Structure formats: C-alpha cells, structure tokens
Amino acid sequence: TIFSLNLAFVLVFTHRGHLLKKWFVFLPLAALPVLVLAAQFSGRLITDYSLSTNGWRSVWSTSAWTAVFNVYFLSFTLLALGLVFRFWRKAKLTYERKQARIIFAALFVATVLGSITDIVLPRIVNSSVPELAVVFMVPWAGGIYYARTRYSLMNVTPQAAADDILATMPDALLLLGPGGRLVRTNQAALDL
C-alpha cells in the first residue's frame, strides 16, 4: 500500500492530482494494494519466516504473486521517481524545483538502499543481511519533512484556497479592480 500512497502523493505534489479522479489511474492505485494484501494474508506472497543471524527474515514464495508484487513495487516507484524528476527539471518556480530535488533525492536513496538490503544482497549473500527497507523509509519521510519546513511544501494559503474555489466554481465570475479593469476570471467565464 505504501507504493500506491507514494505515487498518489507524487501526483498531487507534481500538480497532477486531477489524475486521481480518473478511473484508469485510481483503479490500479486502489486495486493493486488490495490484491497484494489478499495474497499476503492468504500465504501466497510470504510463505514463512526463517531465523537468521540478524533476526527473522521473510521467506518469499516462488509464485506469480511475488512477480506481481515486484512489478507493482518497481513500476510505481520508478513512475514516482520519474514524475518527481521531470517536475524538478521543468518547474518554473525556484522553491518548487528545490522541493522536487529534495523529494527526488530522498525517494531515490530510500528506494536504492531498501532494494539493495531487501532484494539484491539476500540473493547474493544468502540471509546474512538484515531487511532494512522499512528503516530506509526514514530518509523519504525526512525529505518530505525538510521540504515541508524549509520550503513550505504544499502549504494551503488563503490565496491557494481562493484560487481553487474560483477554478472549480460552475458559475462565471469576473473580478474587477477599482478602475473597472479585469483582474481575475475563472474557467466558467472563459468558456462563455
């Protein structure tokens, strides 16, 4: 479920939150975690736990469900990284580029380190490496926290709230300045 939440966050962060209302985006975001959780609870994903020198390790099944999970993890994570990277390169506002750079770096570090410790090294060194992917979510959360505190990530300001209200109003609205000059309009007025 964390991969779907991560991708949903990235869609909102990169100003693509409107895509969450589309069935072809929402359906995989909601259905894949449900399928993976059902496979896990029915014992088709992680079949057992084994004791290693570093504690208990998950024993993954060799079924198609493991492949489904790996595709889900890889595709959603790479898509999130790609969206944040693209937003970083194309954002017009300096603070948005800085936020995107921090979020990209934090997500990249968490993904790479978690993949190395939980996927790559166990296949190479057998079971002597502890599973640390959950621990490496700390840099991801830390990156979001830093972007939030340092660069006001996704702050809801009165201006942003007013812009959203005006943009979604079904009625045409024209705002005129003191001299009768047009200051602002919404999409309904433009459609007229």
Side-chain angles (χ1 to χ4, degrees), residues 70-161:
N70 287 332
V71 167
Y72 165 57
F73 157 70
L74 192 61
S75 60
F76 277 39
T77 304
L78 290 177
L79 183 58
L81 279 166
L83 286 170
V84 173
F85 183 78
R86 183 171 185 235
F87 184 71
W88 171 19
R89 305 315 277 164
K90 295 191 181 251
K92 292 181 173 78
L93 301 174
T94 304
Y95 77 92
E96 285 182 337
R97 284 194 304 276
K98 290 178 181 180
Q99 290 172 348
R101 184 180 67 228
I102 292 166
I103 295 210
F104 177 81
L107 180 57
F108 184 79
V109 166
T111 301
V112 168
L113 293 177
S115 298
I116 288 171
T117 60
D118 285 27
I119 298 171
V120 176
L121 287 179
R123 287 176 174 75
I124 295 172
V125 190
N126 206 357
S127 64
S128 62
V129 178
E131 294 176 343
L132 296 172
V134 174
V135 174
F136 291 126
M137 292 306 292
V138 172
W140 171 229
I144 293 173
Y145 176 77
Y146 183 73
R148 167 76 181 96
T149 56
R150 176 84 167 125
Y151 299 109
S152 301
L153 172 66
M154 298 170 68
N155 252 356
V156 177
T157 62
Q159 180 65 38

Side-chain angles (χ1 to χ4, degrees), residues 165-174 184-191:
I165 291 169
L166 292 177
T168 58
M169 280 180 63
D171 298 324
L173 178 72
L174 299 171
R184 174 115 170 118
T185 184
N186 66 353
Q187 188 60 41
L190 293 173
D191 291 343

Side-chain angles (χ1 to χ4, degrees), residues 11-12 16-27 29 164 168:
L11 286 171
V12 171
R16 296 172 189 264
H18 64 280
L19 292 175
L20 293 171
K21 296 177 185 174
K22 306 287 185 188
W23 70 269
F24 55 87
V25 174
F26 181 77
L27 186 63
L29 280 173
D164 284 345
T168 58

